[in-house]
Amino acid sequence: MQQRNQPMGSMQDWTLRVARLIDHAAREHPTREIVSRWADGSETRTNWAGIRHDALRMTQALRRIGIQPGDRIATLAMNHHRHLVSWYGAVGVGGILHTINPRLFEDQLDYIVNHAEDRVMLFDKAFAPLVARMKPRWPTVERYICFDSGEPAPHFEDWIAPEDGQAQWADGDERDVCMLCYTSGTTGNPKGVLYEHRSTMLHAMSAITPPVFGMDTRMVMLPIVPMFHAASWGLPWAGAAAGSKLVFSAVNEGAVLCDLINREHVTAAAGVPTVWLALLQHVDATDGAIPGSLKTIVCGGSAMPRVMVERFMRQGIRVNHAWGMTETSPVGTAGTETLDWEELSLDQRVAVKAMQGRPPFGIEIRCVDLGNPATVLPRDGKSAGALQIRGPWVVKRYFKAEHDAVGDDQWFDTGDVGIIHPEGTLRLTDRTKDVIKSGGEWISSVELENVAMGHPAVAEAAAIGIVHPKWGERPLLVVVTKQGAEVTQDELRNYLRQHVAKWWVPDAVAFVDAIPHTGTGKISKKDLRELFREYQWPV
Amino acid sequence: MQQRNQPMGSMQDWTLRVARLIDHAAREHPTREIVSRWADGSETRTNWAGIRHDALRMTQALRRIGIQPGDRIATLAMNHHRHLVSWYGAVGVGGILHTINPRLFEDQLDYIVNHAEDRVMLFDKAFAPLVARMKPRWPTVERYICFDSGEPAPHFEDWIAPEDGQAQWADGDERDVCMLCYTSGTTGNPKGVLYEHRSTMLHAMSAITPPVFGMDTRMVMLPIVPMFHAASWGLPWAGAAAGSKLVFSAVNEGAVLCDLINREHVTAAAGVPTVWLALLQHVDATDGAIPGSLKTIVCGGSAMPRVMVERFMRQGIRVNHAWGMTETSPVGTAGTETLDWEELSLDQRVAVKAMQGRPPFGIEIRCVDLGNPATVLPRDGKSAGALQIRGPWVVKRYFKAEHDAVGDDQWFDTGDVGIIHPEGTLRLTDRTKDVIKSGGEWISSVELENVAMGHPAVAEAAAIGIVHPKWGERPLLVVVTKQGAEVTQDELRNYLRQHVAKWWVPDAVAFVDAIPHTGTGKISKKDLRELFREYQWPV
């Protein structure tokens, strides 16, 4: 075969290294702003040129304290521009950026910092008490830096102040690791996913395409999703590739977000359904309106309820309902308009957007039989199965694992249950561990929840399987009613009977004050099952 | 440094091979149509699944006749779906696709086929007489296949008919060469530019982003630019990555294009200014309208005159004025809306769109002093200099060349003269060999032409430098007037005086019936200079 050693001529050498993103942004979009809204209400404004300059100064500060390529540099912080600087600084020195979720249990924080062998820890002062408690358990951490205070560790700005930014990014192989995120697994120890320079770059190039986030320099993006959640969906990288304006907020309250979106003319925002719920609740409570500058919302992390999709669409806002996970960098699918969009009714459009969209170029998905994974299911819009994924930004092996997380054909098991429609759109119906097996058939807990959420009296709903003497398992619906609203079990079951198969209708409804959530804002089925461990079906 | 040999964990292996494009299109957008309008007016309809199936059958046919990876497979054809099939088939077998411009001189055709050592030649029957003449001079070509006839060579469809498509794409390194295009250089022999699988894939991923062509599956793209011109601007590759509908026409007459755009609901079309001129002339001659489905036109190859930009914009059509060359795969810059777009008047918007846009992520441009290339010029919107470019899809070394075409820092000299504005927008003012040097100062021939084209009586204009006893060179304006229109030299010079510096105004105007064009539709300054070789300034 014709190869490198046969000098035919060629294209230029250009390694897929992450520093190229910030170099591009600072060169072509130097004055495009990066705005930070801090927890205390104060704001900081910088731009892509400023981010690059500070990131270069951070590489100098890191080199001064002996950080080597491959060393792990941890952050324990909310979203702000200094956190962004630290991403490019840590990766730019050839290090591995390790973003930590501060909402994890302390035993998990103990585990992951020691597993990662983090050498440097950059944190927000809001987490100073947590850091103080954890410090004795984190022997590998040699240096603490505080992003927004001079106490109890050096202030980030003071730390980089002596540096002049006259430095070079670390060079290296494009398959060097640049980032580490641990999954907040519900069983066993968290698992570390290692992103490479190459995978991060291909993911960023895909993220800015129209079938994913469709980004350009005119976009003003508010990544509500925290930077410690699956790389904030890659937006801090993609934003540089596109030269977009980025707006960060250290708090995610509805009032703060609405105000920020209005003042900064945010055109697109990305977050999990719970933050959108908070935003809508604020709008309702204040008789306000969804900010007019907002053109697109990206929703992921868990499925957006259909009623919420419809509410945004009725306001003329484009809903981009996406799906992904830490193991997929994270974009797996994203929701775009279908070919027949112009002919669809609002109701049909909502149905399309309530699904999770299609894989962008690079990603492959398939569903296999839940009982027999060797059988690949047809894309018929009906067959629900275990969702598998593969592609250039999908995990092959977890950090320090002894075996690959995938087989020879690279398919990765997502733990989700999905249906693929003929035109390729993915509809998630459940997590494999949450699906309810009744009389040998599968019932989707997520679909039950989605329908229940459509009832005007329901604020939040969750369905779990409860052991049943005859059917193996039967669904129990757990409901939080809206303030001031009332609904009976029978009314709810009748309502459900109109929307799902008769045998799917939950045998009982339990009314509760609140449904437990995970640190990432999803319904915690694990906690819910624990709560209803002693539950007995009414006789 | 942490490397592959230290098993930390990782992302999946995924080589950047071109076959992934057609696999994606056939998997996710199988029924999205590919329409061909042949020279005889007949039409063929297939889709991405059909293209892939036929391309696989072509790999089987190629293997049957002993084609090996690295072998060159040539095409001499206009735009149609079989030409598209042959792209993916030639590249899919591991071969090097060599698209030949049938409008080249026979000596050039002789040179490039022998230089490329093409083994297979696929051609349109329209070029059968040319093939018959050239055959004795092409000893390396073992096999001729005709795309649309059984004479004088086997018909493409018959050739692949025995194959079943049950085959695998050739595997290999992502830096293997997949395509070869010769520049239609005006001096010396044509030079071969080799595109690699990797460069082609990165170019395709960039091409679909909003700052370039912004493609998705809803787009209906008509690549008017021939497939033998700089890979049809990469649209046959990018179209697969996006799953767009593609519409091809073997002829580029205004009437045919308007009809096709209307009937196939084409939303975007890409071509050189001369085809847009032909389309507008057809619209005017028939008292017709620009087809309403058309939302975007991509214009490249040479600068689109300002009056044409304005005409399209007044119709509500988005003008994407791009720049590139064979050596740059070809996208170098593309024209998007500026940040202050909403505040601009139509006139200001036209001025923005009359420029060549900005480099997408991956590409770097700069201008250096025309007399002293070591001096990099500021991005001040004023300093004109020699345009240089570098990036992952820019040539390093021409085919079989003994030396790189670039220095250690990879900057490639484009031969264009440009100005870069503070926000990064490129404005081309000339070719370095066409710029007119008068009294030690530079005059842009392209700017003179652009202004002259704004005069209502001028159909086409070209400016060239003529030796002058006092000033070294002075500009001569060559003009074709519109049918029925009249204008004098003095009237034109007065008109120009209102728009350019006084010392730029051409000393004389020569009225001609036609201005010579190159095979790619650009004004041929070389032929024009030849025509006016004996010209004497009026005394």
Side-chain angles (χ1 to χ4, degrees):
Chain A
M1 297 195 35
Q2 42 94 11
Q3 288 296 344
R4 293 287 91 187
N5 50 3
Q6 188 184 330
M8 305 182 75
S10 64
M11 290 278 122
Q12 302 193 349
D13 307 311
W14 196 87
T15 50
L16 291 159
R17 295 276 296 188
V18 166
R20 294 193 186 275
L21 294 166
I22 189 72
D23 284 349
H24 171 81
R27 187 176 57 242
E28 303 299 336
H29 309 281
T31 59
R32 196 68 174 133
E33 280 187 308
I34 311 292
V35 179
S36 307
R37 197 271 187 199
W38 298 86
D40 64 6
S42 65
E43 285 180 9
T44 323
R45 309 184 84 84
T46 177
N47 56 32
W48 283 112
I51 298 294
R52 180 175 186 271
H53 182 66
D54 286 354
L56 277 168
R57 291 160 75 207
M58 179 174 157
T59 67
Q60 294 173 301
L62 286 169
R63 285 178 180 134
R64 184 161 37 91
I65 61 173
I67 293 300
Q68 299 291 319
D71 285 345
R72 269 74 78 189
I73 297 147
T75 66
L76 197 67
M78 301 306 289
N79 293 7
H80 49 71
H81 81 278
R82 288 193 199 118
H83 199 173
L84 182 66
V85 167
S86 77
W87 280 36
Y88 284 101
V91 170
V93 81
I96 299 176
L97 168 73
H98 174 204
T99 49
I100 302 175
N101 183 346
R103 296 171 192 150
L104 293 178
F105 297 116
E106 293 190 4
D107 280 354
Q108 291 177 310
L109 291 172
D110 180 349
Y111 175 83
I112 64 172
V113 171
N114 284 293
H115 187 266
E117 301 169 75
D118 295 319
R119 289 190 63 190
V120 179
M121 175 77 63
L122 300 113
F123 64 97
D124 285 354
K125 72 176 170 198
F127 305 120
L130 180 63
V131 166
R133 284 197 302 281
M134 295 306 298
K135 227 170 172 173
R137 301 167 72 179
W138 286 344
T140 65
V141 180
E142 302 158 33
R143 186 76 52 143
Y144 289 86
I145 305 289
C146 187
F147 274 125
D148 51 349
S149 172
E151 286 295 329
H155 193 296
F156 182 80
E157 296 291 345
D158 295 335
W159 180 52
I160 64 170
E163 314 299 342
D164 61 4
Q166 298 301 308
Q168 299 289 318
W169 305 117
D171 204 358
D173 193 272
E174 66 186 36
R175 294 209 56 179
D176 287 349
V177 172
C178 67
M179 190 168 186
L180 169 59
C181 291
Y182 283 81
T183 61
S184 46
T186 45
T187 53
N189 282 321
K191 284 175 283 195
V193 180
L194 293 166
Y195 304 138
E196 300 169 355
H197 281 266
R198 177 179 163 111
S199 67
T200 302
M201 287 282 274
L202 294 176
H203 185 269
M205 290 182 76
S206 171
I208 65 174
T209 65
V212 184
F213 304 136
M215 298 173 81
D216 64 14
T217 187
R218 298 176 78 202
M219 181 180 267
V220 182
M221 168 59 86
L222 170 69
I224 308 177
V225 51
M227 294 171 79
F228 51 78
H229 277 168
S232 199
W233 303 349
L235 293 167
W237 307 128
S244 305
K245 171 175 169 178
L246 296 183
V247 179
F248 292 115
S249 177
V251 291
N252 293 336
E253 292 154 16
V256 170
L257 295 178
C258 276
D259 174 59
L260 201 53
I261 292 168
N262 271 323
R263 283 188 297 106
E264 297 298 335
H265 310 290
V266 168
T267 61
V272 296
T274 43
V275 302
W276 298 117
L277 191 63
L279 186 140
L280 292 174
Q281 282 170 342
H282 166 76
V283 167
D284 292 340
T286 56
D287 285 330
I290 300 172
S293 65
L294 201 60
K295 300 278 173 289
T296 301
I297 63 162
V298 181
C299 185
S302 52
M304 182 175 245
R306 207 189 137 103
V307 282
M308 205 188 283
V309 173
E310 182 170 339
R311 168 128 189 222
F312 279 111
M313 288 181 71
R314 280 192 184 279
Q315 300 277 327
I317 290 175
R318 179 169 181 259
V319 174
N320 182 346
H321 197 177
W323 166 81
M325 51 201 303
T326 304
E327 284 88 342
T328 64
S329 296
V331 174
T333 58
T336 51
E337 290 67 33
T338 50
L339 288 176
D340 58 356
W341 193 251
E342 300 306 325
E343 287 84 56
L344 299 186
S345 65
L346 177 68
D347 213 48
Q348 291 170 315
R349 290 181 175 187
V350 171
V352 168
K353 291 293 192 160
M355 300 196 284
Q356 277 73 17
R358 307 167 78 160
F361 174 63
I363 290 294
E364 285 176 74
I365 57 169
R366 69 177 188 185
C367 290
V368 299
D369 192 273
L370 279 168
N372 174 20
T375 304
V376 178
L377 300 178
R379 295 180 167 211
D380 58 6
K382 290 181 302 214
S383 306
L387 176 67
Q388 300 185 329
I389 186 170
R390 64 181 179 186
W393 50 84
V394 177
V395 71
K396 182 163 83 175
R397 181 179 293 201
Y398 290 106
F399 187 27
K400 294 182 181 174
E402 297 200 347
H403 303 285
D404 285 351
V406 297
D408 286 343
D409 56 6
Q410 308 253 333
W411 286 108
F412 175 76
D413 247 305
T414 64
D416 280 307
V417 181
I419 291 169
I420 304 179
H421 286 253
E423 82 290 358
T425 303
L426 172 69
R427 181 155 59 96
L428 287 187
T429 63
D430 227 326
R431 293 286 297 165
T432 48
K433 60 184 192 305
D434 296 336
V435 74
I436 300 159
K437 194 165 191 179
S438 170
E441 301 279 353
W442 303 101
I443 297 173
S444 160
S445 66
V446 173
E447 277 193 36
L448 288 178
E449 292 157 8
N450 238 322
V451 173
M453 291 279 284
H455 190 283
V458 174
E460 193 164 23
I464 52 172
I466 299 281
V467 176
H468 190 283
K470 183 171 175 191
W471 301 106
E473 270 186 349
R474 285 295 299 158
L476 170 73
L477 189 69
V478 184
V479 164
V480 181
T481 51
K482 283 188 186 158
Q483 220 176 348
E486 277 186 34
V487 64
T488 67
Q489 165 171 299
D490 285 348
E491 283 165 1
L492 265 181
R493 294 183 70 232
N494 278 332
Y495 177 81
L496 285 161
R497 203 167 280 126
Q498 296 162 40
H499 295 89
V500 300
K502 198 177 157 192
W503 61 276
W504 278 36
V505 176
D507 290 24
V509 179
F511 293 94
V512 297
D513 290 336
I515 284 173
H517 290 91
T518 67
T520 61
K522 304 176 190 181
I523 291 172
S524 173
K525 293 283 174 79
K526 186 189 164 202
D527 289 336
L528 209 57
R529 277 191 286 266
E530 185 57 30
L531 219 59
F532 285 89
R533 197 160 52 91
E534 309 286 338
Y535 183 84
Q536 296 289 329
W537 291 112
V539 193
Chain B
M1 296 193 38
Q2 43 96 9
Q3 288 296 345
R4 291 288 91 188
N5 52 1
Q6 186 184 330
M8 305 182 74
S10 64
M11 290 278 123
Q12 301 193 350
D13 307 311
W14 196 87
T15 50
L16 290 159
R17 295 276 295 188
V18 166
R20 294 193 186 275
L21 293 166
I22 189 72
D23 284 350
H24 171 82
R27 187 176 58 244
E28 303 300 335
H29 309 282
T31 60
R32 195 70 174 131
E33 281 187 307
I34 311 292
V35 179
S36 307
R37 198 271 187 198
W38 298 86
D40 64 6
S42 66
E43 284 180 9
T44 322
R45 309 185 83 82
T46 178
N47 56 33
W48 283 113
I51 298 293
R52 180 175 184 271
H53 183 65
D54 286 355
L56 278 168
R57 291 161 75 209
M58 179 173 157
T59 67
Q60 293 172 303
L62 287 169
R63 283 176 182 136
R64 184 159 39 87
I65 60 172
I67 293 300
Q68 300 290 319
D71 284 346
R72 269 74 77 190
I73 298 147
T75 66
L76 196 67
M78 300 307 289
N79 293 7
H80 49 70
H81 80 280
R82 287 191 200 118
H83 199 173
L84 182 67
V85 167
S86 77
W87 280 35
Y88 285 101
V91 170
V93 81
I96 298 175
L97 168 73
H98 174 203
T99 49
I100 302 175
N101 183 347
R103 295 171 193 152
L104 293 178
F105 297 117
E106 295 189 5
D107 281 352
Q108 291 177 311
L109 291 172
D110 179 348
Y111 175 83
I112 65 173
V113 170
N114 284 294
H115 187 266
E117 300 170 75
D118 294 319
R119 290 190 62 189
V120 180
M121 174 77 63
L122 301 113
F123 64 97
D124 286 354
K125 72 175 171 199
F127 304 120
L130 180 63
V131 167
R133 284 197 302 280
M134 296 305 299
K135 228 170 172 172
R137 300 167 73 179
W138 287 343
T140 65
V141 180
E142 303 158 31
R143 186 77 54 143
Y144 289 86
I145 305 289
C146 186
F147 274 125
D148 51 349
S149 172
E151 287 295 331
H155 193 297
F156 182 81
E157 295 292 345
D158 296 335
W159 180 53
I160 65 170
E163 314 299 341
D164 61 5
Q166 299 301 308
Q168 300 289 318
W169 305 119
D171 205 358
D173 192 272
E174 67 186 36
R175 295 210 56 181
D176 286 350
V177 173
C178 67
M179 190 168 187
L180 169 59
C181 292
Y182 283 80
T183 59
S184 47
T186 45
T187 53
N189 282 320
K191 285 176 281 194
V193 180
L194 294 166
Y195 303 138
E196 299 170 356
H197 281 266
R198 177 179 163 109
S199 67
T200 303
M201 288 283 273
L202 294 176
H203 185 268
M205 290 182 76
S206 171
I208 66 175
T209 64
V212 185
F213 303 137
M215 298 173 80
D216 64 13
T217 187
R218 297 176 79 203
M219 181 180 267
V220 182
M221 168 59 86
L222 170 69
I224 308 177
V225 51
M227 294 170 80
F228 52 77
H229 277 170
S232 200
W233 303 349
L235 293 167
W237 308 128
S244 305
K245 172 175 168 178
L246 296 184
V247 178
F248 292 114
S249 178
V251 290
N252 292 337
E253 293 154 16
V256 170
L257 295 178
C258 276
D259 175 58
L260 200 54
I261 292 168
N262 270 321
R263 282 189 297 104
E264 297 298 334
H265 310 289
V266 168
T267 62
V272 295
T274 43
V275 303
W276 299 118
L277 191 63
L279 187 139
L280 292 175
Q281 282 171 342
H282 166 76
V283 167
D284 291 340
T286 57
D287 284 330
I290 299 172
S293 65
L294 201 59
K295 300 279 174 288
T296 301
I297 63 161
V298 181
C299 186
S302 53
M304 183 175 243
R306 206 189 139 104
V307 282
M308 205 190 282
V309 173
E310 181 169 340
R311 168 130 187 219
F312 280 112
M313 288 182 72
R314 281 192 183 279
Q315 299 278 327
I317 291 174
R318 180 170 180 259
V319 174
N320 182 346
H321 198 178
W323 166 82
M325 51 201 302
T326 303
E327 284 89 341
T328 64
S329 296
V331 175
T333 58
T336 51
E337 289 67 33
T338 49
L339 288 175
D340 57 356
W341 193 251
E342 301 306 325
E343 286 85 55
L344 299 186
S345 65
L346 176 69
D347 213 48
Q348 291 170 315
R349 289 181 176 187
V350 170
V352 168
K353 292 293 192 160
M355 300 196 282
Q356 277 73 16
R358 306 166 78 160
F361 175 62
I363 290 293
E364 285 175 74
I365 57 170
R366 70 177 188 185
C367 290
V368 299
D369 192 273
L370 279 168
N372 173 20
T375 304
V376 178
L377 299 178
R379 295 180 167 211
D380 57 6
K382 290 180 300 212
S383 306
L387 178 66
Q388 300 186 329
I389 186 170
R390 65 181 179 186
W393 50 84
V394 176
V395 71
K396 183 164 81 176
R397 180 180 293 203
Y398 291 106
F399 188 27
K400 295 184 180 174
E402 297 199 349
H403 303 284
D404 285 351
V406 297
D408 287 342
D409 56 6
Q410 308 253 330
W411 286 108
F412 174 76
D413 247 305
T414 64
D416 280 308
V417 181
I419 291 169
I420 305 180
H421 286 251
E423 81 291 357
T425 303
L426 172 69
R427 181 156 59 97
L428 288 186
T429 62
D430 226 326
R431 293 286 297 164
T432 46
K433 58 186 192 308
D434 296 336
V435 75
I436 300 159
K437 195 165 189 179
S438 170
E441 301 280 351
W442 303 99
I443 296 174
S444 160
S445 66
V446 173
E447 277 192 39
L448 287 179
E449 291 156 11
N450 240 321
V451 173
M453 293 280 283
H455 190 283
V458 174
E460 194 164 21
I464 52 172
I466 300 281
V467 175
H468 191 283
K470 181 172 176 192
W471 302 106
E473 270 186 347
R474 286 296 299 159
L476 169 74
L477 189 69
V478 185
V479 164
V480 181
T481 51
K482 284 188 186 158
Q483 220 175 348
E486 277 184 33
V487 63
T488 66
Q489 165 171 300
D490 284 348
E491 281 164 3
L492 266 180
R493 295 183 71 232
N494 278 332
Y495 177 81
L496 285 161
R497 204 166 279 124
Q498 295 162 41
H499 295 88
V500 300
K502 198 177 159 194
W503 62 276
W504 279 37
V505 176
D507 290 24
V509 179
F511 293 94
V512 297
D513 290 336
I515 285 173
H517 289 91
T518 66
T520 61
K522 303 177 193 182
I523 291 173
S524 174
K525 295 283 175 79
K526 188 187 161 203
D527 290 337
L528 210 56
R529 276 192 286 264
E530 186 56 31
L531 220 57
F532 286 88
R533 200 159 51 90
E534 310 285 339
Y535 183 84
Q536 297 288 330
W537 291 113
V539 192

